[in-house]
Amino acid sequence: MSDCKPTRHFAIAIDGPAASGKSTVARRLAERLGLIMINTGAMYRAIAWATIRKGVDAADPEAVKAMLAEIELSCGVNNGGSTILIDGMDPGEALRQDPVNARVSKVAAIPEVRELLVAKQREYLTLGSLVMEGRDIGSVVFPNTPYKLYIDASEEVRLARRSAEGLADVVSQRDAEDSKRKASPLMVAEGATVIDSSEMDIDEVVETALDTLRSQGLPA
Ligand code: CDP
């Protein structure tokens, strides 16, 4: 379904570059507001994980498209957050590890991958109101929502945050690939408010996000 259709449910769109803190903010907002939290990055990561399992070259769009027809992707909700199974399997911690980090922006640049996942993301709105985080939520998935944030932070801060999580990651490389791709590049969506979290702790970011959403019309 699309957010053009009348629905009593709404979506809060949170976009931003890698390791900007958007997942933490999205989770805290969802808890505070009693909404379902959808991590769309995990969906792209799951497709990257599937290419590894199937021995498919993530940089070969034709091979990835053929793989899409062969896998079963189940998107659900558990404990207020999104879940994803590929062929009945939960990829678990592998989603955040190096082999997936290295491939995810490549599969995310393939239009057919995006079409499949955007349709699943829109379907979540039938289950309830959402906080959805990613790269194209305010620009493509729910362009008509009035509630749009873009959480940013300096590259230096983002690299430090990711290594403080104990995770090696190719943050700068993914940002470059995500910003340059033709299909739904990372961008500040029309109507989105940018929050630069470089100098803020997480509580300050959450309070700023709530104030901003209220100024965008979110009921108190
Ligand atoms: O690690 P981080 O939280 O920064 O990234 P993520 O949200 O897990 O997203 C991983 C990758 O998925 C991104 O680098 C993008 O290539 C892709 N992605 C996307 O293209 N569109 C989205 N809505 C979400 C993620």
Side-chain angles (χ1 to χ4, degrees):
M1 68 175 286
S2 113
D3 67 335
C4 303
K5 291 181 189 160
T7 169
R8 61 198 169 85
H9 299 147
F10 63 86
I12 295 175
I14 304 193
D15 292 302
S20 63
K22 58 190 186 314
S23 300
T24 311
V25 177
R27 193 165 52 245
R28 296 269 292 264
L29 285 175
E31 283 164 11
R32 287 272 287 268
L33 299 168
L35 308 179
I36 303 168
M37 145 81 180
I38 310 294
N39 175 349
T40 63
M43 300 168 78
Y44 291 93
R45 286 172 178 277
I47 301 292
W49 179 78
T51 66
I52 298 165
R53 279 200 70 246
K54 301 261 180 193
V56 167
D57 178 359
D60 177 349
E62 293 308 319
V64 175
K65 276 193 268 176
M67 184 196 79
L68 291 181
E70 287 168 16
I71 57 173
E72 192 198 334
L73 184 67
S74 320
C75 301
V77 169
N78 189 24
N79 279 332
S82 49
T83 57
I84 184 148
L85 299 178
I86 299 250
D87 294 336
M89 278 173 288
D90 178 354
E93 289 302 306
L95 288 189
R96 313 283 318 164
Q97 291 168 355
D98 278 351
V100 166
N101 287 332
R103 288 167 176 81
V104 61
S105 291
K106 294 171 180 45
V107 299
I110 301 171
E112 288 78 3
V113 170
R114 305 202 69 84
E115 274 162 36
L116 174 72
L117 297 186
V118 167
K120 303 244 176 220
Q121 290 155 15
R122 289 181 178 147
E123 268 177 38
Y124 271 117
L125 203 58
T126 60
L127 300 182
S129 294
L130 315 170
V131 178
M132 186 174 283
E133 57 120 341
R135 301 292 186 290
D136 60 341
I137 313 306
S139 57
V140 173
V141 184
F142 293 122
N144 297 330
T145 181
Y147 315 125
K148 297 187 191 184
L149 304 176
Y150 184 95
I151 310 286
D152 209 350
S154 70
E155 187 168 15
E156 196 188 352
V157 166
R158 293 187 291 108
L159 289 170
R161 285 180 184 162
R162 189 61 26 118
S163 71
E165 289 168 1
L167 295 169
D169 196 349
V170 283
V171 163
S172 311
Q173 184 195 317
R174 282 199 287 124
D175 281 348
E177 290 182 271
D178 293 345
S179 303
K180 282 187 209 137
R181 70 181 176 222
K182 281 208 185 95
S184 311
L186 169 65
M187 59 182 283
V188 180
E190 200 184 325
T193 300
V194 178
I195 298 176
D196 185 341
S197 71
S198 307
E199 308 280 319
M200 297 183 195
D201 67 24
I202 185 64
D203 290 330
E204 287 173 301
V205 185
V206 172
E207 290 313 317
T208 306
L210 277 171
D211 288 346
T212 306
L213 291 168
R214 286 184 187 124
S215 73
Q216 291 176 342
L218 191 76

